[in-house]
Amino acid sequence: MKTLTKIALATILTLVWACTNQPETKQVPSSVSTNAPTTVSILPTDLTGTWVSEKYIADLKKIKCLRQAFDNIEPLTVLNIRKGDMIGDTQRVSVSYNGHEGSEYFILFKPYKLANGVTFSEASDEPPYKLHNARDLILENGHLVLQNYDENGRPTYWSKYVRTSIPKSLEGEGEFDNILEHVSIQTLFMGKWSLIKNNGEKSTVQIDDKGGLTGFGSLKTLGVYTDYVGIDFANDMAYFIDEHSKKPITMAFKHFGNMVEFWDEKSKSKNVLYRISR
């Protein structure tokens, strides 16, 4: 019996020694990148269109003031990526700085460390393009994510952009202000409203994504400017187009939650001409 006990004890010790001397293995989280080059899955056609800062749209919804949202805008606001602007494996991109006319950047489609990412950067105007200030441009769940880096290559801040539907007339260059104003119409005004005019007349108004009006009498179009107006210079500016005169009628306006008031921008008193509410 003692012999069997010794044999069993020796067997257990042998197994323990074998287990403790196995090579160590570590579980690597799936989210950790190996930085191995992969074939880029983004195509130029995946990125074409007009992309607007998600922060600007979020600020509009929260603040409900065009100029204040515009003042808080992030530096790179709009990316306009047009069809037919490919040069080899490089795509030209018009961008907006602080909501105004910016300059051209480039997207370089090449093997990259992320399967859903490409190089986005400034570049020389003549081939071979010399990229500098390169950043990651990543397509993620229908958004464009711009990852920035410091001078040591460490990730700093990132920005997110959403593709925006705009009229054909705004797809050319030099229209960045109009693009943001168009986004403001979609964000703050699109939909059905109850209208009360200053004479007490009431109606139901429908505003489409281009600012088209129905139920507003002879006023057929609503537009907005990212500028302050009014006697205290603290209100947003809008304009209506009359179907007869075809001339813009400029007004000051202010959002109050689910209500918007419009009045003569030059008036010394706030005589509300139109009030719409949801």
Side-chain angles (χ1 to χ4, degrees), residues 238-256:
Y239 62 91
F240 293 93
I241 302 296
D242 185 275
E243 67 175 333
H244 303 302
S245 68
K246 307 298 182 183
K247 294 180 179 180
I249 304 170
T250 307
M251 295 188 184
F253 76 91
K254 193 174 184 67
H255 264 266
F256 300 92

Side-chain angles (χ1 to χ4, degrees), residues 1 12-13 25-27 33 51 76 84 91 98 111 137 142 151-152 160 185 192 196 226 233 247-248 263 269:
M1 180 64 70
I12 292 171
L13 291 173
T25 58
K26 294 182 179 180
Q27 294 295 324
S33 172
W51 300 82
L76 187 57
Q91 168 80 44
N98 301 313
L137 190 62
E151 64 275 7
N152 297 316
K160 187 177 286 188
I185 289 288
K192 185 179 291 186
I196 301 179
T226 50
F233 206 65
K247 294 180 179 180
W263 61 93
S269 62

